[in-house]
Amino acid sequence: MKPRPVTDASYAGDVSPQLAWEWVQSGDAVLVDVRTDAEREWVGFVPGAVPVAWKQWPGMALNPGFDEQIRAAAEGRKVVLLCRSGVRSVAAARRAAQLGIEAYNILDGFEGDPDSQAHRGRQAGWRYLGLPWRQN
């Protein structure tokens, strides 16, 4: 499976959770979780993922340390970015690309979009696919 290129070329592309995990396992990429600390703590997290919030709770203000933290996480490798549903990770991938990092968005994020009952995690996403994750 290949990455899906983006039409505006503002970041490297979109990848499935499965491809992202393959890259991480092979050492080809670093998994960066751009969700808030609260989301990772309460909803779940991927063991070994580097936490670099794009926005922070409360207020969802941009993380002023994002640039420095994403550079440190990348260490010269490509990054695959994970958020709740694959929206914030696009914005974070665009910023990482502006910093010269090969950055990919993970499609559907950790929980995917809500289903007909407004519940996440029931039709798509990292957790739904049974990829490694834990919950405190």
Short mmCIF file of all heavy atoms in Angstrom, two decimals, residues 1-4 13-23 80 104-109 126 129 131:
data_model
loop_
_atom_site.label_atom_id
_atom_site.label_comp_id
_atom_site.label_asym_id
_atom_site.label_seq_id
_atom_site.Cartn_x
_atom_site.Cartn_y
_atom_site.Cartn_z
N MET A 1 0.85 -1.18 0.00
CA MET A 1 0.00 0.00 0.00
C MET A 1 0.89 1.24 0.00
O MET A 1 1.81 1.34 0.79
CB MET A 1 -0.90 -0.03 1.24
CG MET A 1 -1.78 1.18 1.37
SD MET A 1 -2.82 1.13 2.84
CE MET A 1 -3.98 -0.11 2.36
N LYS A 2 0.59 2.17 -0.88
CA LYS A 2 1.38 3.39 -1.00
C LYS A 2 0.67 4.55 -0.31
O LYS A 2 -0.55 4.54 -0.17
CB LYS A 2 1.58 3.74 -2.47
CG LYS A 2 2.50 2.81 -3.21
CD LYS A 2 2.72 3.32 -4.61
CE LYS A 2 3.77 2.49 -5.31
NZ LYS A 2 4.06 3.00 -6.63
N PRO A 3 1.44 5.58 0.08
CA PRO A 3 0.81 6.78 0.63
C PRO A 3 -0.07 7.43 -0.43
O PRO A 3 0.23 7.35 -1.63
CB PRO A 3 1.98 7.69 0.98
CG PRO A 3 3.20 6.86 0.87
CD PRO A 3 2.89 5.67 0.05
N ARG A 4 -1.12 8.05 0.01
CA ARG A 4 -1.98 8.81 -0.90
C ARG A 4 -1.45 10.23 -0.95
O ARG A 4 -1.40 10.91 0.07
CB ARG A 4 -3.42 8.78 -0.38
CG ARG A 4 -4.41 9.42 -1.34
CD ARG A 4 -5.81 9.24 -0.85
NE ARG A 4 -6.03 10.19 0.23
CZ ARG A 4 -7.09 10.17 1.04
NH1 ARG A 4 -7.99 9.24 0.91
NH2 ARG A 4 -7.23 11.07 1.98
N GLY A 13 1.69 13.44 2.37
CA GLY A 13 0.54 12.64 1.96
C GLY A 13 -0.18 12.03 3.14
O GLY A 13 0.15 12.28 4.30
N ASP A 14 -1.17 11.21 2.80
CA ASP A 14 -1.98 10.52 3.80
C ASP A 14 -1.67 9.03 3.73
O ASP A 14 -1.53 8.48 2.64
CB ASP A 14 -3.47 10.72 3.52
CG ASP A 14 -3.87 12.18 3.58
OD1 ASP A 14 -3.51 12.86 4.55
OD2 ASP A 14 -4.55 12.63 2.64
N VAL A 15 -1.58 8.39 4.88
CA VAL A 15 -1.31 6.95 4.92
C VAL A 15 -2.34 6.28 5.81
O VAL A 15 -2.89 6.88 6.74
CB VAL A 15 0.11 6.63 5.43
CG1 VAL A 15 1.16 7.17 4.47
CG2 VAL A 15 0.35 7.15 6.83
N SER A 16 -2.59 5.01 5.51
CA SER A 16 -3.49 4.23 6.35
C SER A 16 -2.81 3.98 7.70
O SER A 16 -1.57 3.99 7.79
CB SER A 16 -3.80 2.89 5.69
OG SER A 16 -2.65 2.07 5.68
N PRO A 17 -3.59 3.71 8.72
CA PRO A 17 -2.97 3.35 10.01
C PRO A 17 -2.06 2.12 9.88
O PRO A 17 -1.00 2.09 10.50
CB PRO A 17 -4.18 3.06 10.90
CG PRO A 17 -5.29 3.87 10.33
CD PRO A 17 -5.05 3.83 8.85
N GLN A 18 -2.46 1.15 9.06
CA GLN A 18 -1.65 -0.05 8.91
C GLN A 18 -0.28 0.26 8.29
O GLN A 18 0.73 -0.26 8.75
CB GLN A 18 -2.38 -1.09 8.03
CG GLN A 18 -3.68 -1.56 8.62
CD GLN A 18 -4.89 -0.82 8.05
OE1 GLN A 18 -4.84 0.39 7.79
NE2 GLN A 18 -6.00 -1.53 7.87
N LEU A 19 -0.25 1.11 7.25
CA LEU A 19 1.02 1.46 6.63
C LEU A 19 1.88 2.27 7.60
O LEU A 19 3.09 2.05 7.71
CB LEU A 19 0.80 2.24 5.33
CG LEU A 19 2.07 2.65 4.59
CD1 LEU A 19 2.95 1.44 4.25
CD2 LEU A 19 1.71 3.43 3.33
N ALA A 20 1.26 3.19 8.32
CA ALA A 20 2.00 3.96 9.32
C ALA A 20 2.66 3.02 10.33
O ALA A 20 3.84 3.19 10.66
CB ALA A 20 1.07 4.95 10.03
N TRP A 21 1.92 2.03 10.79
CA TRP A 21 2.46 1.09 11.78
C TRP A 21 3.60 0.26 11.18
O TRP A 21 4.61 0.02 11.85
CB TRP A 21 1.35 0.21 12.32
CG TRP A 21 1.81 -0.75 13.38
CD1 TRP A 21 1.69 -2.11 13.37
CD2 TRP A 21 2.47 -0.43 14.62
NE1 TRP A 21 2.24 -2.64 14.51
CE2 TRP A 21 2.72 -1.64 15.29
CE3 TRP A 21 2.88 0.76 15.21
CZ2 TRP A 21 3.36 -1.69 16.53
CZ3 TRP A 21 3.51 0.72 16.44
CH2 TRP A 21 3.75 -0.50 17.09
N GLU A 22 3.47 -0.14 9.92
CA GLU A 22 4.56 -0.87 9.26
C GLU A 22 5.83 -0.01 9.23
O GLU A 22 6.92 -0.51 9.51
CB GLU A 22 4.17 -1.23 7.82
CG GLU A 22 3.17 -2.35 7.70
CD GLU A 22 2.76 -2.59 6.26
OE1 GLU A 22 3.56 -2.30 5.32
OE2 GLU A 22 1.63 -3.07 6.05
N TRP A 23 5.68 1.26 8.86
CA TRP A 23 6.84 2.15 8.81
C TRP A 23 7.47 2.32 10.18
O TRP A 23 8.69 2.34 10.31
CB TRP A 23 6.43 3.51 8.26
CG TRP A 23 6.17 3.57 6.80
CD1 TRP A 23 6.36 2.57 5.87
CD2 TRP A 23 5.69 4.69 6.07
NE1 TRP A 23 6.02 3.02 4.63
CE2 TRP A 23 5.60 4.31 4.71
CE3 TRP A 23 5.31 5.97 6.43
CZ2 TRP A 23 5.17 5.18 3.72
CZ3 TRP A 23 4.87 6.84 5.45
CH2 TRP A 23 4.80 6.45 4.10
N VAL A 80 4.90 10.16 11.00
CA VAL A 80 3.49 9.87 10.74
C VAL A 80 2.72 10.43 11.92
O VAL A 80 3.05 10.17 13.07
CB VAL A 80 3.23 8.36 10.52
CG1 VAL A 80 3.76 7.91 9.17
CG2 VAL A 80 3.83 7.50 11.62
N TYR A 104 3.53 12.81 7.23
CA TYR A 104 2.33 12.16 6.72
C TYR A 104 1.22 12.20 7.76
O TYR A 104 1.47 12.05 8.95
CB TYR A 104 2.62 10.69 6.39
CG TYR A 104 3.60 10.51 5.27
CD1 TYR A 104 4.98 10.55 5.52
CD2 TYR A 104 3.18 10.31 3.97
CE1 TYR A 104 5.89 10.38 4.50
CE2 TYR A 104 4.09 10.14 2.93
CZ TYR A 104 5.44 10.18 3.21
OH TYR A 104 6.34 10.03 2.19
N ASN A 105 0.00 12.36 7.28
CA ASN A 105 -1.19 12.28 8.10
C ASN A 105 -1.67 10.83 8.12
O ASN A 105 -1.73 10.18 7.08
CB ASN A 105 -2.28 13.18 7.49
CG ASN A 105 -3.63 12.92 8.09
OD1 ASN A 105 -3.83 12.99 9.29
ND2 ASN A 105 -4.59 12.59 7.23
N ILE A 106 -2.04 10.33 9.30
CA ILE A 106 -2.63 9.00 9.41
C ILE A 106 -4.14 9.13 9.25
O ILE A 106 -4.81 9.79 10.07
CB ILE A 106 -2.28 8.32 10.74
CG1 ILE A 106 -0.77 8.15 10.87
CG2 ILE A 106 -3.00 6.97 10.85
CD1 ILE A 106 -0.31 7.59 12.21
N LEU A 107 -4.66 8.52 8.19
CA LEU A 107 -6.09 8.60 7.89
C LEU A 107 -6.94 8.06 9.05
O LEU A 107 -6.59 7.06 9.67
CB LEU A 107 -6.40 7.81 6.62
CG LEU A 107 -5.82 8.39 5.33
CD1 LEU A 107 -5.92 7.37 4.20
CD2 LEU A 107 -6.54 9.68 4.97
N ASP A 108 -8.03 8.73 9.32
CA ASP A 108 -9.02 8.34 10.33
C ASP A 108 -8.55 8.46 11.78
O ASP A 108 -9.31 8.22 12.70
CB ASP A 108 -9.56 6.92 10.10
CG ASP A 108 -10.25 6.78 8.76
OD1 ASP A 108 -11.01 7.70 8.38
OD2 ASP A 108 -10.02 5.77 8.07
N GLY A 109 -7.28 8.81 11.99
CA GLY A 109 -6.78 9.07 13.32
C GLY A 109 -6.90 7.89 14.27
O GLY A 109 -6.96 6.73 13.87
N TRP A 126 -7.27 3.93 14.22
CA TRP A 126 -6.21 3.10 14.77
C TRP A 126 -6.76 2.05 15.73
O TRP A 126 -6.49 0.86 15.60
CB TRP A 126 -5.21 4.01 15.50
CG TRP A 126 -3.97 3.34 15.97
CD1 TRP A 126 -3.81 2.62 17.12
CD2 TRP A 126 -2.70 3.34 15.32
NE1 TRP A 126 -2.53 2.16 17.22
CE2 TRP A 126 -1.82 2.60 16.13
CE3 TRP A 126 -2.23 3.90 14.14
CZ2 TRP A 126 -0.49 2.40 15.80
CZ3 TRP A 126 -0.90 3.71 13.81
CH2 TRP A 126 -0.04 2.97 14.63
N LEU A 129 -9.03 -0.69 14.22
CA LEU A 129 -8.30 -1.67 13.42
C LEU A 129 -7.50 -2.65 14.27
O LEU A 129 -6.90 -3.58 13.73
CB LEU A 129 -7.37 -0.96 12.44
CG LEU A 129 -8.10 -0.18 11.34
CD1 LEU A 129 -7.13 0.72 10.58
CD2 LEU A 129 -8.82 -1.13 10.40
N LEU A 131 -4.81 -2.03 16.09
CA LEU A 131 -3.38 -1.75 16.17
C LEU A 131 -3.01 -1.49 17.64
O LEU A 131 -3.90 -1.20 18.45
CB LEU A 131 -3.03 -0.57 15.27
CG LEU A 131 -3.23 -0.86 13.77
CD1 LEU A 131 -3.16 0.41 12.96
CD2 LEU A 131 -2.22 -1.89 13.29
#
